[in-house]
Amino acid sequence: MQATEAKKHLSFGSLIKYLGGLYLDVPDWRQEGKVEHSIRDTAMGGVGMMYFQSDSVLEFQRQLEVSTRRSNLSTLFGVNKVPSDSQMREILDEVSSETARPAFKKYFAGLQRGKYLERFQIFPGQYLLSLDGSQYFGSENISCPHCLIKEHKSGQTNYSHLILQATLVHPDQKQVIPLMPEEICNEDGTTKQDCEFNAAKRILPQIRTEHPFLDIIINCDGLYSKQPMFELLYELKMHGILVAKEDDHKPLFEWVSEQRQLGETTQYEAVDEKHRKHRYEWINAVPLNGRPDSILVNFFRYQIIVDGEVTYKSAWVTDLEVTKQNVATMVRAGRARWKIENECFNTLKNQGYHLEHNFGHGQKNLSFNFFLFNLLAFFIHQILELTDGMYQRCRQCYRTKKHLWETLRVLFGLFIFETWENMLTMALSRYTEQPRPG
Ligand SMILES: [Zn+2]
């Protein structure tokens, strides 16, 4: 496929059309003749809300529908008839969350074909995939049979939903690329750690199946830096850069310390323009744990020293060979984990989360479906930032992303646009006609 053709597949219209098509294929369980809103209309209404991060989207579009017989949910999201809140709740609770899965793969493949993925290479041909657990719902009174339950000593019960999220990241790229998340379910009273690790045992083979040839380096926290994780990575032909904490890895750190005294570790320091010292140290082929059958891993650590004081330090274990040439990049790769917290989860958590409170938690799939719509809307925003020239211009013209989206929400509620591009043209018009001062 040509890059220009690939770009067409990444346009707002194509991305939305593909997503809507997935919900068109869901078999309808409802009695014929009693169906007022199709599953696709309902799902895409939900996507529209998440896309504009506003629960008033449905109400405004219903008003537009009444006064003009049309709405932006229809022109932009293919919604023939805007559903009511209660209808949305009922229908989306029944729809399998797996319906959304192909969209993550399709969007990823689009970025790959359009050559947008190349800039995410951390080493030639290799991509960094951050793996992190996150809570997306928590309550003391709302719950469903899928909720994780935590009893507090005070007698309070806490209900929550967690996911394990895999996200393609690069330390120099502002955008991140999410893959389909894995739900962490409460089964047989297992502890959270077991659950999160079990979720990793489900999501990693799934990723390998969906991306059979992708050269992946999994980047995760100290929870995972154990032998079974390395064995799983070997089996799936993946690499790993995993945080190693001294408390969890006493024999490993003792070994490294002994080797240091013997002069077997390699160190090097660099001073930056702010006079901060960056100290790197590494040693290859050390036992991960104190057991006789321990695997050998490569160890590296990093410190930032300001005025003789250590202001940051961290250490990692990896199966990749650490060398003087790659150690700085390895450290940047290891530290890129914060990106998934900052760029992905915080964005999702700080925006749109009130939607679930207004639309309900459901008993089956509602909660996770809303999370997926939110994540897909976020994914589409990321794709537009990478590929859509008009959207990029809007981002440059408007002071902040928040300001731009406030404007887009107002336009969405007031005027009917045939296309997303028309909407951006209007958002840009005040800047093209009247250049911004300064
Ligand atoms: Zn629940």
Side-chain angles (χ1 to χ4, degrees):
M1 195 191 284
Q2 294 294 313
T4 43
E5 204 191 323
K7 201 170 173 178
K8 211 168 68 192
H9 288 268
L10 292 167
S11 70
F12 172 85
S14 300
L15 297 171
I16 291 296
K17 194 174 169 198
Y18 178 80
L19 191 55
L22 297 176
Y23 289 89
L24 199 60
D25 292 340
V26 174
D28 208 324
W29 60 90
R30 298 166 297 174
Q31 216 179 324
E32 225 177 300
K34 286 192 175 172
V35 172
E36 200 189 347
H37 299 280
S38 70
I39 294 166
R40 188 190 61 164
D41 279 3
T42 314
M44 296 315 283
V47 171
M49 287 199 313
M50 297 301 182
Y51 189 81
F52 285 96
Q53 297 287 322
S54 161
D55 59 354
S56 55
V57 157
L58 289 190
E59 187 48 42
F60 279 136
Q61 296 308 306
R62 263 196 303 273
Q63 285 168 13
L64 273 178
E65 211 175 41
V66 169
S67 57
T68 67
R69 292 172 178 268
R70 304 176 72 209
S71 80
N72 284 312
L73 281 177
S74 155
T75 54
L76 303 184
F77 292 88
V79 177
N80 292 312
K81 198 162 181 239
V82 182
S84 75
D85 305 356
S86 64
Q87 287 157 335
M88 177 171 273
R89 230 185 331 261
E90 271 169 41
I91 296 169
L92 291 183
D93 199 26
E94 298 290 334
V95 175
S96 165
S97 302
E98 281 294 305
T99 311
R101 181 181 290 280
F104 287 91
K105 196 182 168 194
K106 176 83 174 177
Y107 294 176
F108 186 96
L111 290 171
Q112 202 167 22
R113 290 200 192 105
K115 312 264 182 233
Y116 293 101
L117 214 59
E118 285 173 4
R119 65 186 79 172
F120 284 87
Q121 291 175 37
I122 183 81
F123 294 114
Q126 290 188 311
Y127 297 91
L128 195 61
L129 204 58
S130 251
L131 199 64
D132 225 333
S134 179
Q135 176 177 318
Y136 72 88
F137 167 81
S139 173
E140 276 162 7
N141 30 48
I142 300 166
S143 70
C144 77
H146 296 291
C147 275
L148 291 166
I149 302 168
K150 210 178 217 171
E151 309 275 358
H152 289 284
K153 277 185 190 142
S154 60
Q156 198 94 332
T157 307
N158 203 284
Y159 302 98
S160 64
H161 281 217
L162 273 71
I163 43 121
L164 186 62
Q165 180 69 53
T167 313
L168 201 89
V169 296
H170 186 283
D172 297 333
Q173 295 298 321
K174 211 178 149 20
Q175 287 75 32
V176 300
I177 301 172
L179 306 189
M180 172 81 178
E182 178 71 28
E183 270 190 292
I184 303 172
C185 298
N186 197 15
E187 287 174 315
D188 306 329
T190 47
T191 65
K192 187 201 161 206
Q193 277 81 351
D194 289 340
C195 267
E196 193 168 326
F197 195 76
N198 283 344
K201 285 198 275 188
R202 296 191 297 272
I203 198 173
L204 290 177
Q206 183 81 41
I207 292 169
R208 188 36 95 212
T209 306
E210 287 173 5
H211 304 279
F213 305 112
L214 199 66
D215 198 344
I216 298 168
I217 304 170
I218 298 288
N219 180 13
C220 44
D221 69 18
L223 182 71
Y224 294 96
S225 54
K226 311 271 156 62
Q227 186 146 337
M229 182 66 174
F230 273 102
E231 284 166 354
L232 181 62
L233 292 177
Y234 295 153
E235 193 188 313
L236 297 169
K237 298 193 167 42
M238 294 178 179
H239 303 288
I241 295 177
L242 291 70
V243 171
K245 292 201 172 121
E246 201 157 354
D247 290 346
D248 301 333
H249 291 284
K250 286 215 168 78
L252 171 73
F253 276 79
E254 279 165 19
W255 182 278
V256 171
S257 169
E258 274 170 32
Q259 296 299 309
R260 182 182 305 121
Q261 280 160 17
L262 295 169
E264 293 294 325
T265 66
T266 313
Q267 291 191 25
Y268 112 82
E269 288 179 354
V271 179
D272 67 19
E273 67 278 9
K274 288 180 185 161
H275 308 293
R276 293 179 306 184
K277 203 184 276 175
H278 302 263
R279 181 180 291 157
Y280 303 88
E281 183 185 27
W282 68 97
I283 176 167
N284 291 311
V286 289
L288 177 65
N289 51 58
R291 295 209 311 267
D293 66 342
S294 173
I295 51 161
L296 296 179
V297 293
N298 306 323
F299 173 94
F300 63 104
R301 74 161 150 204
Y302 170 66
Q303 294 179 334
I304 301 175
I305 298 147
V306 183
D307 298 332
E309 262 184 57
V310 177
T311 57
Y312 173 89
K313 62 172 184 176
S314 193
W316 296 266
V317 282
T318 176
D319 61 303
L320 298 164
E321 192 190 1
V322 187
T323 64
K324 181 159 188 210
Q325 282 70 39
N326 73 11
V327 69
T329 309
M330 294 286 268
V331 165
R332 295 183 71 224
R335 296 185 74 191
R337 263 196 64 247
W338 67 267
K339 280 191 92 75
I340 188 171
E341 232 357 273
N342 267 23
E343 311 280 342
C344 188
F345 290 145
N346 283 353
T347 312
L348 294 177
K349 276 176 186 168
N350 297 334
Q351 299 172 36
Y353 259 45
H354 56 285
L355 295 180
E356 193 181 79
H357 290 283
N358 294 353
F359 283 85
H361 185 68
Q363 288 296 303
K364 292 177 183 168
N365 309 316
L366 187 65
S367 182
F368 193 40
N369 278 338
F370 272 136
F371 177 78
L372 288 172
F373 291 166
N374 206 1
L375 187 62
L376 283 165
F378 169 79
F379 195 175
I380 295 173
H381 294 162
Q382 299 288 293
I383 294 173
L384 297 178
E385 282 185 21
L386 286 166
T387 68
D388 185 334
M390 276 182 90
Y391 181 73
Q392 288 163 353
R393 270 206 299 288
C394 280
R395 285 297 311 275
Q396 283 162 5
C397 286
Y398 281 79
R399 209 166 15 92
T400 60
K401 194 173 179 176
K402 194 170 165 236
H403 183 207
L404 168 65
W405 280 93
E406 274 165 10
T407 307
L408 293 176
R409 266 192 292 275
V410 171
L411 294 177
F412 191 81
L414 287 178
F415 306 104
I416 296 205
F417 297 95
E418 295 304 323
T419 64
W420 166 246
E421 287 73 20
N422 288 355
M423 192 172 183
L424 294 185
T425 304
M426 188 178 258
L428 277 172
S429 61
R430 54 188 292 201
Y431 291 103
T432 46
E433 286 158 15
Q434 234 179 342
R436 209 164 131 230

